[in-house]
Amino acid sequence: MDIIDSWWAIIRDGLYHIHPIQFVIIGLLFGWMTGSILSAVFSAVFASVVYLAVDLLWPVIFNHAVFAMPVFDAPFWHFFLSLSFAFLVVTLAIYIVKSIFEGIRG
């Protein structure tokens, strides 16, 4: 049970730092592009990379801030892991709903 608690602590801490609007837009785009369950895993990881790129480049483009690379320490990887998990849930949910509607439509 300690393993589950530690994983939940990692994911919970990372979920607090996700911007909801940006997450929903990227999640919907990658969810509609998902064609299988295996591609949902790759879509979730790639959506996390796109999310981080947008999060880093947004202030540079629109506020003329100085670009700063993220520090690849433990909190960064905790955030990336929780972001990937959240995108995996979203892409799988969209894939399942899309598959149900395609099955009904024929």
Side-chain angles (χ1 to χ4, degrees):
M1 196 63 166
D2 291 334
I3 293 173
I4 295 172
D5 290 337
S6 60
W7 277 102
W8 176 245
I10 289 171
I11 290 173
R12 185 189 63 227
D13 291 341
L15 289 177
Y16 290 135
H17 301 289
I18 295 176
H19 304 291
I21 295 173
Q22 179 180 345
F23 175 79
V24 168
I25 292 171
I26 294 173
L28 287 175
L29 288 174
F30 280 92
W32 272 307
M33 291 191 305
T34 302
S36 67
I37 293 179
L38 182 63
S39 68
V41 174
F42 292 115
S43 293
V45 173
F46 192 64
S48 299
V49 171
V50 169
Y51 179 93
L52 291 174
V54 168
D55 203 33
L56 286 173
L57 293 176
W58 191 271
V60 173
I61 294 171
F62 293 107
N63 296 336
H64 305 292
V66 177
F67 179 75
M69 285 292 292
V71 179
F72 297 110
D73 54 355
F76 171 81
W77 293 113
H78 289 178
F79 174 68
F80 188 79
L81 178 68
S82 63
L83 188 63
S84 297
F85 180 74
F87 275 125
L88 180 65
V89 170
V90 169
T91 55
L92 281 176
I94 293 172
Y95 171 70
I96 290 169
V97 169
K98 186 173 74 168
S99 297
I100 289 171
F101 280 120
E102 287 176 355
I104 292 172
R105 188 174 54 172

